[in-house]
Amino acid sequence: MRGIDVLVFDAYGTLFDVNSISQAVEAVFPGKGTTLSKLWRTKQIEYTWLLSLMGRYLNFEEVTRRALRYTAKAMRVDLNAEIERELLSAYNHLKPFPETVEALTTLYKRYPLAILSNGTTHMLEAVTSHSGIRNLFQLILSVDSVRIYKPSPRVYSLVMEAFDVDRRSVGFVSSNAWDIAGAKAFGFSTFWINRAGQTEEALDLNADFILTDLRDLERLLRSKT
Amino acid sequence: MRGIDVLVFDAYGTLFDVNSISQAVEAVFPGKGTTLSKLWRTKQIEYTWLLSLMGRYLNFEEVTRRALRYTAKAMRVDLNAEIERELLSAYNHLKPFPETVEALTTLYKRYPLAILSNGTTHMLEAVTSHSGIRNLFQLILSVDSVRIYKPSPRVYSLVMEAFDVDRRSVGFVSSNAWDIAGAKAFGFSTFWINRAGQTEEALDLNADFILTDLRDLERLLRSKT
């Protein structure tokens, strides 16, 4: 696409399927895999917002642990240390979406690729390495260096410090509507991967492009070159 | 209670029952009253966090409108201008909880009372006047003056500018666990009105006291004098 100089990807939910966590949950809490992993994810994101707004910071591993503890308590399931460790480690072994590897491999030939994520560097290195795509990324940027979470502009600023480009020429790719809103507010060109047909936020910060998956993104960028 | 010099109340969900909105919703969208009003409320709060974190501000009337528009779209119901106006105005006519008036009337004799809320001054004046409790409050403090939402410390700071007291001697009363966490992080003495038996947040910012309703708060404060 004319004008896009670098592609920056959100990780969780965009490249990696956080729902694959539900299988790990199902294995230890039969019948509760879907509900528990969904609430866990909701709470995890909520805690990133709340802590950031309070001016406090716990890293994403710790936030994920706290959200899991809340969820287990709310759903009245017994979370011992071993199960907790096991479920948290599932976060480092998330599966990429079916089209992730192929789409990134193609895009990699034409754009510098980066990740900008709430995850810690440790988590992001682990999850990209385990799925064999680490080397496709020129940079992995973690909020951990600014100690505040998305959608704070301080997070999106990390891209500007890393690449010498205009905001508009950063193609930001996320499956989270609120992340797209934050990136749009910051001034990036935004590509919303809306796999589940979700509703757009009503904040006048809509995505520049709405796509169904990463293959669709690759196709769009090819057609517009 | 020894050491409490002023009582500061959250409004929505604490003094006023936001679920009473569901009746207004039910009247225009039969069968969807509960689900729609619940999603509306969730989105409303989510938008206050997201905008604050982006460094943007829309007042609570506008946030409530945007959240309603999102919800209507997500639930595929037809929201015309008239219905929108009607549902938004329901926010200014929320019912107090059954024990609110009596408990406040008793507490009023012993403490200066104030409200600290996400609502605009206009909304808060309207909802307290309609339920006949406006005069029980010495002050109504709105986030509108700092243009950021709870749980930002800038919001809780409004109390310190208004009353010449220590943080610990501010008794902060809210039914929202995350609001309690924010107030606790700020340094207030916190009273969580947990009507629905919700789970505490797992942020190490727990309430000093957990109560079932405002009558329970009145009883506690009386017993500890």
Side-chain angles (χ1 to χ4, degrees):
Chain A
M1 179 172 284
R2 253 217 323 266
I4 297 296
D5 292 327
V6 52
L7 283 176
V8 179
F9 295 83
D10 169 57
Y12 302 111
T14 300
L15 301 177
F16 302 99
D17 189 355
V18 282
N19 291 322
S20 63
I21 288 279
S22 67
Q23 290 162 32
V25 175
E26 184 68 27
V28 286
F29 301 124
K32 300 193 163 156
T34 308
T35 325
L36 198 150
S37 59
K38 213 168 169 179
L39 178 58
W40 182 11
R41 171 70 176 164
T42 301
K43 207 68 195 176
Q44 178 196 46
I45 297 297
E46 192 180 306
Y47 279 176
T48 64
W49 297 335
L50 286 171
L51 288 166
S52 296
L53 211 45
M54 288 180 202
R56 301 216 164 189
Y57 182 75
L58 297 171
N59 78 23
F60 202 58
E61 266 181 80
E62 188 58 26
V63 163
T64 305
R65 176 179 294 115
R66 301 298 184 102
L68 176 58
R69 285 180 184 171
Y70 169 92
T71 304
K73 215 169 148 194
M75 291 189 62
R76 297 197 171 77
V77 300
D78 203 23
L79 189 71
N80 62 39
E82 193 188 344
I83 294 180
E84 182 179 290
R85 209 166 29 241
E86 200 176 308
L87 291 182
L88 288 173
S89 110
Y91 249 89
N92 295 338
H93 294 83
L94 287 175
K95 293 179 196 157
F97 286 99
E99 85 285 8
T100 297
V101 179
E102 195 184 322
L104 288 181
T105 305
T106 307
L107 290 167
Y108 165 78
K109 295 174 191 152
R110 308 200 6 241
Y111 299 96
L113 309 183
I115 284 178
L116 177 67
S117 165
N118 277 339
T120 62
T121 302
H122 171 78
M123 291 171 87
L124 295 166
E125 291 286 347
V127 75
T128 53
S129 299
H130 288 144
S131 52
I133 58 175
R134 173 61 188 92
N135 292 336
L136 297 176
F137 298 101
Q138 195 165 318
L139 278 176
I140 290 185
L141 303 168
S142 162
V143 304
D144 211 29
S145 61
V146 282
R147 296 173 68 83
I148 191 167
Y149 286 97
K150 296 177 180 179
S152 164
R154 286 166 56 197
V155 174
Y156 303 108
S157 284
L158 286 171
V159 175
M160 307 320 295
E161 291 161 28
F163 293 95
D164 181 26
V165 292
D166 289 340
R167 289 183 188 201
R168 281 297 299 166
S169 67
V170 173
F172 184 79
V173 186
S174 180
S175 65
N176 298 301
W178 57 268
D179 189 13
I180 288 294
K184 177 82 178 180
F186 186 75
F188 288 160
S189 293
T190 48
F191 299 86
W192 183 26
I193 307 297
N194 187 16
R195 288 187 180 85
Q198 289 182 306
T199 305
E200 239 170 356
E201 303 295 359
L203 293 173
D204 292 340
L205 294 166
N206 291 345
D208 296 309
F209 298 93
I210 305 180
L211 304 156
T212 53
D213 60 20
L214 295 169
R215 194 178 301 115
D216 200 13
L217 170 72
E218 191 275 311
R219 217 176 281 134
L220 171 80
L221 291 175
R222 194 172 0 137
S223 73
K224 299 240 179 167
T225 303
Chain B
M1 179 172 286
R2 256 221 318 268
I4 297 295
D5 292 329
V6 53
L7 283 175
V8 179
F9 295 82
D10 169 57
Y12 303 110
T14 300
L15 301 177
F16 302 99
D17 188 357
V18 282
N19 291 322
S20 63
I21 289 280
S22 67
Q23 289 161 34
V25 175
E26 185 67 27
V28 286
F29 301 125
K32 301 195 162 154
T34 308
T35 326
L36 198 150
S37 58
K38 213 168 170 179
L39 179 57
W40 182 12
R41 170 72 176 162
T42 302
K43 207 68 195 178
Q44 177 197 46
I45 298 296
E46 193 180 305
Y47 279 176
T48 63
W49 297 336
L50 286 172
L51 288 166
S52 296
L53 210 46
M54 287 181 204
R56 300 218 164 187
Y57 182 75
L58 297 172
N59 78 22
F60 203 57
E61 267 182 78
E62 188 58 25
V63 163
T64 305
R65 176 180 295 114
R66 301 298 184 101
L68 177 57
R69 286 180 183 170
Y70 169 92
T71 304
K73 214 169 148 193
M75 290 188 62
R76 297 196 171 78
V77 300
D78 204 24
L79 188 71
N80 61 39
E82 192 188 346
I83 294 180
E84 181 178 291
R85 212 167 26 242
E86 201 176 307
L87 292 182
L88 288 173
S89 110
Y91 250 88
N92 295 338
H93 294 84
L94 288 174
K95 293 179 195 156
F97 286 99
E99 85 286 6
T100 296
V101 178
E102 195 182 321
L104 288 180
T105 306
T106 307
L107 290 166
Y108 164 79
K109 295 171 190 154
R110 311 201 4 243
Y111 299 96
L113 309 183
I115 284 177
L116 178 67
S117 165
N118 277 339
T120 62
T121 302
H122 171 78
M123 291 172 87
L124 295 167
E125 291 286 348
V127 75
T128 52
S129 299
H130 289 144
S131 51
I133 59 174
R134 173 61 188 93
N135 293 334
L136 297 176
F137 298 101
Q138 197 165 312
L139 279 175
I140 290 186
L141 302 168
S142 162
V143 304
D144 211 29
S145 60
V146 282
R147 297 174 66 82
I148 190 166
Y149 286 97
K150 296 177 180 178
S152 165
R154 286 167 55 197
V155 173
Y156 303 108
S157 285
L158 287 171
V159 175
M160 307 319 297
E161 291 161 27
F163 294 94
D164 182 26
V165 293
D166 289 338
R167 290 184 187 200
R168 281 297 298 166
S169 68
V170 173
F172 184 79
V173 186
S174 180
S175 65
N176 299 302
W178 57 268
D179 190 13
I180 288 293
K184 176 81 178 182
F186 186 76
F188 288 159
S189 293
T190 48
F191 300 86
W192 182 26
I193 308 296
N194 187 16
R195 289 187 180 86
Q198 289 183 306
T199 305
E200 240 170 354
E201 303 295 0
L203 294 172
D204 291 342
L205 294 166
N206 291 346
D208 296 309
F209 299 93
I210 305 180
L211 304 156
T212 54
D213 59 21
L214 296 169
R215 194 179 300 114
D216 200 13
L217 170 72
E218 191 275 310
R219 218 176 279 134
L220 171 81
L221 291 175
R222 192 166 7 130
S223 74
K224 299 240 179 167
T225 304

